[in-house]
Amino acid sequence: MIFRLALASLRARALTVGMTMLAIALSVALFLGVEKVRTGAKASFADTISGTSLIVGARSGSVQLLLYSVFRIGNATNNVTWESYQDIAARPEVDWIVPISLGDSHRQFRVMGTIVGFFEHYKYRRGRSLEMAQGVVMDDLFDAVIGADVAATLGYSVDDPIVVAHGLASFTEHEDQPFRVAGILERTGTPVDRTVIVSLEAIEAIHVDWGNGAKTQGQSTPIDEIRQMDLEPGAVTAALIGVKSPLQTFALQRAINEYRQEPLLAILPGVALQELWGIVGIAETALLAVSAMVVVTALIGMMATLFSSLSERRREMAIFRAMGATPVTVLSLLVLEAMVTAAVGAVLGLGLLYLGLVVAQPVVDAAFGLWLPIEAPGLRDMLVLLAVVLAGAIVSLIPAMRAYRISLADGMMVKT
Amino acid sequence: MTQPVLQLTDLHYRWPGREGFALSVPGFSVVAGESVLLLGESGSGKSTLLSLICGTVKADRGLVQVVGQDLAALSGSGRDRFRAEQIGVIFQQFNLLPFGSVADNILLPLRFAPARRKRAGVVKDTARALCQALGLPDALFQAKAGMLSVGQQQRVAVARALIGQPPLIIADEPTSALDANSQAAFLDLLFRQSEAQKSALLMVSHDPRLGERFDRVVDLSDVAGITRGAA
């Protein structure tokens, strides 16, 4: 009956209590939302590349190699010679190997030379393959496949011509050999979206008349002639490797790292991704801390509301006391009320979160390539809700202690 | 010789924080089933006296005995529990929790008084019967107390004080919020019901016209002395 009276008392103050619940609900939804985005971002990040056992490049740092080979951020300090590449490709542990060659750009997007095997072996988000939105994989020397962001930003469709620039943000364009858009990839939420993919030979082809980073004066080899040339590259930037058995990964990694002819580095993508996340993750923790502060603010708001309700509820407390309630009962009534308010707010917040997820999931996926899974609330979410209710109880103890003192002093008579 | 339900002996109380302001009661008693009117203006210490009897305020010296129990011998929560068991309280007005139903309000003291609850039998039926006896329409039983008229609220307060037959009913100016006609009707009901269950009634009022119905009318100033100022 006390519980029912507490509920009735809350209902009687529906407006202020409702506002408090709403504030708690919004803050809880924000907190859980940030938590969702955080884990989603982490998972999406870790899922940028999967199915690849090792990434090989010139010797540098593992994060640096990951950044330029997968995220197309920064540049390679050095290349891997074609001989070394062939040596590694010939090793018995190697199931497949895909070379990538970077260094050219198209507008603000990186151009990557690779082989058709890339489309087969590059996996993201737990083994998903690249899919063509339009067109087909390149099969001519001057065919290009572009990522979804490239197509969207530059408004390209299949069969449009594109011109590749040498180097990055360079004004010297390889005008002689315009490429044709052969296909456009589906959005993946990975750096592939922002990449122009051409064949490894094409990278060589556009550099036929170039030497030492500048165009050789007066030299312009006709396209027909280029097509006849041997376009085997001298070097590649990096290579993605799949091993036959996962057990061989470490042996192969060691073998590559100890390769005598050239200083090379082989990294486990997952480990390097985690290392990189360790750097990026600080911002994420800060975000979580801020949203936790919002929850605390909402609870303090509840405390303020409880405080201001005390004076108008002295009569109520006096009645309880006259009927034989101890001051402790009055105190626990307030704490109970606060817990109910916080609990309703928390559950409402959970509801808001799922509502928000249903609405935002496709939008966020399309805009940022961030996949927010809609799952039943986990143990962590439940602990968060429980923590909110407990924090509500603790915060309410302060006004409840005051109510205790008031009801002890007032007794059954409200002193005015 | 009937046993007193209330016995005050050599009671002395000093208001905290107010130097030299004190209330003393040399001796006062109410016997079982008796009805007593205590006449006193506001500021004559009646609120304090009632708080002393109910045990929400502790005397500095002397004895407060309710049905033979010395209140000072009980702990704070023990006094609260004892009050719930032995005393029905009716205020001037604003007696009820406005958000609770009439039934909730009537049954509230029983929540803190298991023995009284047992005496009340099937509590809902008892509460309903009391409402009927007090002339409250049955339709109001589940209504929110805040929806009732002042007169109806006071009658609900009577039902709440009477339920479970506490030996002592304390009423603090219960009629002051009512007009003259309702006052008479209200007192009729209060007397009839407290006599029916043999509860003693101690009413405090400033209005001597109410006196004729009571077994005894006592002037508060004859019972309690107030010392002011000069410490």
Side-chain angles (χ1 to χ4, degrees):
Chain A
M1 176 158 112
I2 289 293
F3 186 69
R4 206 174 65 229
L5 280 174
L7 289 186
S9 171
L10 282 175
R11 259 204 309 278
R13 286 171 287 121
L15 189 66
T16 49
V17 171
M19 291 310 240
T20 309
M21 283 174 176
L22 188 65
I24 293 174
L26 285 173
S27 72
V28 166
L30 178 70
F31 184 84
L32 292 177
V34 165
E35 184 72 9
K36 274 273 179 199
V37 170
R38 200 174 72 102
T39 47
K42 192 172 178 178
S44 276
F45 188 79
D47 284 349
T48 305
I49 183 165
S50 66
T52 297
S53 318
L54 290 170
I55 300 172
V56 182
R59 189 163 297 165
S60 58
S62 58
V63 169
Q64 196 193 353
L65 175 54
L66 183 78
L67 279 175
Y68 70 71
S69 66
V70 175
F71 290 94
R72 326 248 190 277
I73 296 170
N75 290 302
T77 46
N78 226 326
N79 283 341
V80 179
T81 61
W82 189 245
E83 288 72 33
S84 304
Y85 170 79
Q86 299 248 305
D87 263 6
I88 295 165
R91 288 188 67 95
E93 300 97 330
V94 175
D95 182 29
W96 54 263
I97 183 163
V98 170
I100 56 178
S101 189
L102 298 160
D104 290 292
S105 68
H106 174 70
R107 305 285 187 90
Q108 66 268 46
F109 300 104
R110 298 286 180 107
V111 173
M112 181 179 82
T114 186
I115 57 175
V116 176
F118 180 80
F119 297 96
E120 186 188 332
H121 295 300
Y122 182 85
K123 299 273 199 282
Y124 69 102
R125 210 181 276 174
R126 288 179 211 94
R128 277 221 228 171
S129 295
L130 298 173
E131 299 285 348
M132 282 293 170
Q134 291 172 48
V136 291
V137 171
M138 66 264 188
D139 70 342
D140 185 73
L141 183 60
F142 292 106
D143 274 356
V145 170
I146 59 176
D149 276 345
V150 181
T153 310
L154 303 178
Y156 287 158
S157 48
V158 172
D159 283 339
D160 282 354
I162 63 173
V163 174
V164 173
H166 184 62
L168 303 165
S170 158
F171 297 102
T172 51
E173 299 201 330
H174 300 275
E175 292 164 335
D176 308 337
Q177 298 96 14
F179 283 75
R180 180 187 73 96
V181 176
I184 298 169
L185 290 166
E186 290 275 16
R187 187 174 296 281
T188 62
T190 71
V192 172
D193 294 347
R194 298 184 299 277
T195 307
V196 175
I197 301 169
V198 297
S199 70
L200 210 55
E201 291 77 22
I203 295 284
E204 290 306 311
I206 55 181
H207 294 111
V208 162
D209 294 330
W210 292 59
N212 298 321
K215 192 163 182 176
T216 316
Q217 281 299 319
Q219 195 176 326
S220 181
T221 316
I223 287 182
D224 290 342
E225 207 171 306
I226 290 175
R227 286 190 189 278
Q228 302 305 315
M229 290 167 77
D230 174 19
L231 293 170
E232 184 174 87
V236 295
T237 311
L240 312 179
I241 296 173
V243 292
K244 288 187 179 127
S245 152
L247 297 172
Q248 299 166 325
T249 309
F250 293 103
L252 182 62
Q253 185 186 21
R254 197 164 49 244
I256 294 169
N257 285 338
E258 289 168 1
Y259 187 69
R260 286 176 182 279
Q261 282 76 6
E262 195 180 0
L264 295 178
L265 174 69
I267 58 166
L268 299 160
V271 174
L273 277 166
Q274 260 177 24
E275 211 176 305
L276 185 53
W277 185 254
I279 302 163
V280 181
I282 295 168
E284 143 225 63
T285 312
L287 197 61
L288 198 65
V290 169
S291 55
M293 289 308 291
V294 176
V295 176
V296 171
T297 311
L299 289 176
I300 288 175
M302 177 176 75
M303 180 171 83
T305 318
L306 274 177
F307 257 123
S308 64
S309 77
L310 286 187
S311 55
E312 64 188 77
R313 295 173 71 189
R314 282 176 84 170
R315 171 67 56 182
E316 180 185 329
M317 294 190 278
I319 293 169
F320 270 107
R321 290 279 281 136
M323 293 308 113
T326 62
V328 173
T329 310
V330 173
L331 178 139
S332 41
L333 257 172
L334 274 163
V335 175
L336 180 70
E337 252 181 46
M339 286 175 80
V340 169
T341 308
V344 173
V347 170
L348 218 62
L350 194 66
L352 277 177
L353 171 74
Y354 281 100
L355 196 70
L357 275 181
V358 169
V359 174
Q361 190 188 45
V363 181
V364 170
D365 190 26
F368 305 109
L370 184 60
W371 183 250
L372 303 173
I374 300 180
E375 300 160 338
L379 182 66
R380 215 184 139 85
D381 298 326
M382 286 305 169
L383 285 177
V384 168
L385 297 192
L386 193 68
V388 168
V389 175
L390 287 181
I394 290 166
V395 161
S396 74
L397 270 177
I398 302 164
M401 283 304 292
R402 192 173 156 76
Y404 176 91
R405 278 198 302 275
I406 289 174
S407 74
L408 197 61
D410 277 1
M412 13 177 260
M413 311 290 179
V414 176
K415 295 194 181 77
T416 41
Chain B
M1 180 70 200
T2 35
Q3 147 125 42
V5 282
L6 173 66
Q7 175 79 55
L8 306 179
T9 318
D10 192 23
L11 195 63
H12 196 82
Y13 174 77
R14 203 193 304 271
W15 278 279
R18 293 163 79 186
E19 200 62 36
F21 226 62
L23 176 84
S24 57
V25 182
F28 176 71
S29 65
V30 176
V31 294
E34 192 185 14
S35 63
V36 179
L37 179 67
L38 261 182
L39 278 176
E41 295 301 319
S42 57
S44 56
K46 54 180 184 157
S47 297
T48 307
L49 186 60
L50 293 185
S51 295
L52 282 164
I53 294 169
C54 289
T56 54
V57 168
K58 234 178 146 178
D60 300 313
R61 209 174 63 222
L63 211 56
V64 181
Q65 284 169 300
V66 177
V67 287
Q69 170 69 51
D70 174 15
L71 290 189
L74 297 169
S75 66
S77 60
R79 286 200 301 276
D80 290 326
R81 165 89 178 270
F82 185 77
R83 171 171 66 255
E85 293 283 10
Q86 308 295 347
I87 307 176
V89 183
I90 307 166
F91 292 120
Q92 209 166 339
Q93 54 179 336
F94 310 121
N95 265 292
L96 310 179
L97 300 172
F99 47 79
S101 70
V102 167
D104 283 339
N105 270 288
I106 295 175
L107 300 179
L108 184 59
L110 303 185
R111 166 66 180 72
F112 305 103
R116 190 170 159 191
R117 169 178 281 270
K118 208 167 277 174
R119 276 198 306 264
V122 182
V123 290
K124 283 238 164 157
D125 294 350
T126 310
R128 224 179 257 275
L130 272 169
C131 281
Q132 209 166 15
L134 290 164
L136 286 163
D138 200 48
L140 290 179
F141 196 60
Q142 294 297 343
K144 286 257 176 291
M147 310 292 287
L148 272 57
S149 72
V150 178
Q152 286 170 330
Q153 289 197 17
Q154 289 304 84
R155 277 182 276 168
V156 173
V158 172
R160 185 181 61 186
L162 289 168
I163 195 164
Q165 300 156 1
L168 179 62
I169 308 287
I170 286 182
D172 181 8
E173 304 250 21
T175 57
S176 65
L178 307 174
D179 59 57
N181 285 337
S182 329
Q183 278 187 1
F186 176 83
L187 285 179
D188 275 345
L189 289 169
L190 179 57
F191 270 92
R192 198 182 307 146
Q193 292 307 315
S194 49
E195 266 163 27
Q197 60 182 47
K198 298 182 176 58
S199 300
L201 174 65
L202 175 64
M203 188 189 286
V204 184
S205 177
H206 66 277
D207 189 352
R209 287 172 303 172
L210 303 172
E212 57 199 34
R213 297 160 172 271
F214 287 83
D215 297 341
R216 203 145 56 95
V217 179
V218 183
D219 212 306
L220 188 58
S221 55
D222 295 341
V223 172
I226 290 186
T227 333
R228 286 194 167 83

